[in-house]
Structure formats: structure tokens, C-alpha cells
Amino acid sequence: MKTLLSLAALVMAVALGYWVLRAGVQVRPSAAHADDAAATPAMSPAAAPAAATVPAPAQREALTLVPPPVATDAAPSQPAAAVEAPAAAPANASDDLVIPVQGVRRDHLQDTFTDARSQGRRHDAIDILAPAGTPVLAVADGSVEKLFDSERGGLTVYQFEPSGRYAYYYAHLQRYADGLAEKQTIRRGQVLGYVGSTGNADPGAPHLHFEIHRLGPEKQWWKGESLNPYPLLRGEQRL
């Protein structure tokens, strides 16, 4: 009899435990709890896992569009104020006239422009004394307009400068430079001929008779306004 009672009590205990366990499994949250869960704020950055900080694929691509700075060994450019100003032009600049007799210095020149000549004439030129055969040089760039043998000037050269405004006249030459010809282009300092005493010059005092003319509109080699070569050859004036 006692055995049957014990067995019945055991069965009831097992059934009660099963009912309790089943009731616990079927428990669900209320609707209010579900709304609270939806309203819960997102996890703070500090508490987020490391994987959450990795940018999305589109973001990573945008970042790679900016190239990294390129290293260079080139020296930085100097500021404008640090650029050195060009040196001043020398006294004997390229637009000054060359002394037309080789070896003669500017301070050796004598102003004979207003000296009187025969028949009441004015010299209108400068005489540069030098040993016979000394090279005569073109005072500037230009061209040979006329080679002429005259009674007074002897062997002469008329040179026009490139603009055609001025003519240079070289007279009393011993001879012309080899190959010199009319209409030939000549350069500043080029040898045109050699000092002599042809024409009406004193054979005992060979020299170059040199003139500068401002040409008229006709551009006639034998006619023009005489200019004093002395201050021009010394660099005191320019054409």
C-alpha cells in the first residue's frame, strides 16, 4: 500500500514539474517592451566593435581618389624680391659707335669738326691720325652704299646704317679690304679698308677722314646734313 502511495506522489511531482517548465517556455514580452526595445539608442562609438569603424566600400573609394603628396628634390622657387637685377650695361655698349681706326682710344680723338679748310670750307669731319695700313673699322652695322674714288677724298666708303637715316663716310683709304663690295652687309667692327693718304691728304700725315650725315628722304649717299662725329665716337651722345 505504501509503495502505491509513493509511486502516485512521484507521478504527481513529475507532472507538476513538466507543467511549470512548459509554462516558462511560452512566456512572451508584452507590446510595451517591444516598443522600448525599438526606442533604445544606438551603441556609442566607444562601445562599438572595431569593425564598425571601417568605412563602407563607397567611402573607401572616395578616399583613394585624393593622391598622396609627391616627394620632390627640386629646390623651392625663389621669391621675386630675391631675383638678382641685371647688371648695368658697360660704357662701351653695343649701340655705341666703334672707333673707326683700330687701336685708337676715345681719349686720343681730336675735335676737328669746325676747322677751316681751303676755299672757305668747314671741315665737317674728324681726322684720326694713324700709321698707313692701320685697319679701318665699320663703326656700326649696316651696308656698303657706295665705293668711290674722288679727287678730294681719294678711296672712300659710304656706309648706310640699317634704318637708312644715317650715312658714315670713310676717306683717304690706302686700299679697300679684300672682297669689299657695294650693297654688301657689314657688321660693327668689320674691316673696311686701311688708313692711307689718297686724295688731297698730306702723304706725310696718313689719317682717316670720317664723317656722319643725316640723310634726307631721297637717301642720296653724296648729300646729307653733317653731324659732328666727335661726341658720338666718345660716347657722349648717341644718334
Side-chain angles (χ1 to χ4, degrees):
M1 186 67 178
K2 291 182 179 180
T3 302
L4 291 175
L5 292 175
S6 298
L7 181 60
L10 179 61
V11 171
M12 290 179 67
V14 170
L16 181 63
Y18 174 76
W19 180 86
V20 172
L21 179 62
R22 183 178 178 184
V25 170
Q26 292 179 348
V27 173
R28 291 183 173 86
S30 65
H33 289 167
D35 293 341
D36 291 343
T40 303
M43 187 180 297
S44 65
T53 62
V54 178
Q59 293 175 320
R60 289 198 296 271
E61 183 177 356
L63 291 174
T64 58
L65 292 178
V66 181
V70 179
T72 176
D73 294 332
S77 58
Q78 296 295 328
V83 177
E84 184 177 354
N92 187 20
S94 59
D95 53 353
D96 285 342
L97 299 180
V98 171
I99 303 300
V101 177
Q102 191 175 77
V104 175
R105 300 203 313 263
R106 297 178 187 273
D107 56 358
H108 287 169
L109 299 176
Q110 299 293 322
D111 188 356
T112 60
F113 184 74
T114 58
D115 286 3
R117 290 296 186 264
S118 62
Q119 300 175 353
R121 295 180 296 111
R122 192 177 69 170
H123 191 208
D124 287 344
I126 184 173
D127 285 341
I128 305 176
L129 276 67
T134 302
V136 172
L137 311 176
V139 294
D141 293 347
S143 60
V144 177
E145 182 65 21
K146 185 69 176 178
L147 300 178
F148 189 67
D149 188 357
S150 70
E151 180 180 354
R152 290 179 180 174
L155 291 179
T156 63
V157 176
Y158 290 84
Q159 174 195 350
F160 280 11
E161 52 93 32
S163 72
R165 291 179 295 175
Y166 301 100
Y168 308 116
Y169 174 68
Y170 312 79
H172 303 315
L173 300 180
Q174 183 186 70
R175 66 181 180 89
Y176 296 127
D178 294 341
L180 192 70
E182 292 181 1
K183 307 306 179 183
Q184 176 183 346
T185 299
I186 53 179
R187 304 296 295 176
R188 181 177 184 269
Q190 180 177 333
V191 176
L192 303 179
Y194 301 89
V195 171
S197 53
T198 57
N200 65 359
D202 182 354
H207 65 279
L208 174 69
H209 173 102
F210 179 71
E211 300 180 17
I212 299 178
H213 300 152
R214 181 183 287 114
L215 298 171
E218 308 86 358
K219 311 298 182 187
Q220 296 168 329
W221 56 269
W222 66 91
K223 185 171 66 175
E225 176 190 357
S226 295
L227 304 177
N228 188 351
Y230 180 76
L232 296 168
L233 292 177
R234 286 176 58 89
E236 298 169 358
Q237 296 179 12
R238 289 183 179 174
L239 291 173

